[in-house]
Amino acid sequence: MTIKHSLDDTVRPPLSWALRLHLGRWPGFTVAAWGFLFAVPSFVWALGGTFGVQATVAPPLVRLAHDRVTWFLAVLWVTGFLKLFGVLVGIGLTRRRGKWTGRLMVLCGGGATVLLVWHGCQFVIHGVLVETGARAVAPDLVGLTRWYLYLWGPWFIAGGLAFAAAATRYVRRHDGRREVRLYGSAGALGALLLSLASVVTGIG
């Protein structure tokens, strides 16, 4: 019995460590899955597909995609590849990286967190105002507003929270936490300033 107990004791720590390692990586893999799923519509629409466009996307954007406007197609391709870059960031945050690679991953993670949560909250708040009658929209846009309220808004927020969790996990596992945290804060601050500028200028 004593031998069995000692063997159990020697087996449990590695299993516990492996479980903690696996759980510690899920935020980064969640980011990767989110980014991949989000990239698919961009490439489908850029290639001429219209699945899901008519009902869930603003009419001006639908017309641009339907008319195959060159600059808008370029935007779709660029945003699609940016979303795939988000996949790489998510994977990069699953484990310790080199000094500069790790800093870049956390910088991007902080920036993505603010940008995504900011835009997601805008969609949700606008949708709530419309649903409660505090803000009016054209009758033919009510259904679209609900898509932004119940789909796109929460989707953006979920992605932002996933980036936040992945970046936070990475910082906690890093030896130089304070220094790495500064890069995440810089990314978040830069994204916040960019978001505020888009509100002031009406661009974005």
Side-chain angles (χ1 to χ4, degrees):
M1 293 297 293
T2 303
I3 295 177
K4 185 178 186 300
H5 184 267
S6 63
L7 288 175
D8 288 343
D9 286 343
T10 60
V11 171
R12 283 172 186 166
L15 290 176
S16 177
W17 177 84
L19 180 61
R20 288 197 301 270
L21 180 63
H22 177 73
L23 293 177
R25 290 181 175 181
W26 73 261
F29 287 128
T30 299
V31 168
W34 180 92
F36 178 79
L37 291 175
F38 201 22
V40 170
S42 294
F43 291 124
V44 170
W45 298 339
L47 292 170
T50 58
F51 177 76
V53 174
Q54 301 292 337
T56 65
V57 179
L61 300 181
V62 174
R63 285 193 296 270
L64 290 172
H66 182 269
D67 295 340
R68 310 296 293 163
V69 177
T70 303
W71 70 264
F72 185 68
L73 295 180
V75 169
L76 289 175
W77 283 107
V78 170
T79 55
F81 283 113
L82 284 175
K83 293 167 186 177
L84 289 183
F85 179 71
V87 174
L88 297 179
V89 172
I91 294 174
L93 291 171
T94 57
R95 64 181 180 85
R96 289 281 300 275
R97 304 291 173 178
K99 182 178 180 180
W100 291 106
T101 302
R103 290 174 177 177
L104 176 62
M105 295 296 102
V106 175
L107 178 74
C108 293
T113 296
V114 172
L115 284 175
L116 293 170
V117 172
W118 176 281
H119 286 286
C121 286
Q122 281 187 312
F123 294 150
V124 171
I125 292 172
H126 175 73
V128 169
L129 291 176
V130 171
E131 288 293 292
T132 57
R135 187 167 185 174
V137 296
D140 59 330
L141 294 180
V142 173
L144 178 64
T145 299
R146 288 172 180 161
W147 278 107
Y148 277 83
L149 171 61
Y150 297 116
L151 174 63
W152 295 120
W155 178 259
F156 273 72
I157 293 172
L161 295 179
F163 271 103
T168 300
R169 274 293 220 188
Y170 187 91
V171 170
R172 286 179 178 174
R173 295 198 304 269
H174 203 281
D175 295 333
R177 294 183 183 180
R178 180 174 299 179
E179 184 180 5
V180 177
R181 189 182 293 116
L182 287 176
Y183 280 84
S185 300
L189 179 60
L192 179 60
L193 293 175
L194 180 63
S195 299
L196 290 173
S198 70
V199 172
V200 173
T201 60
I203 301 174

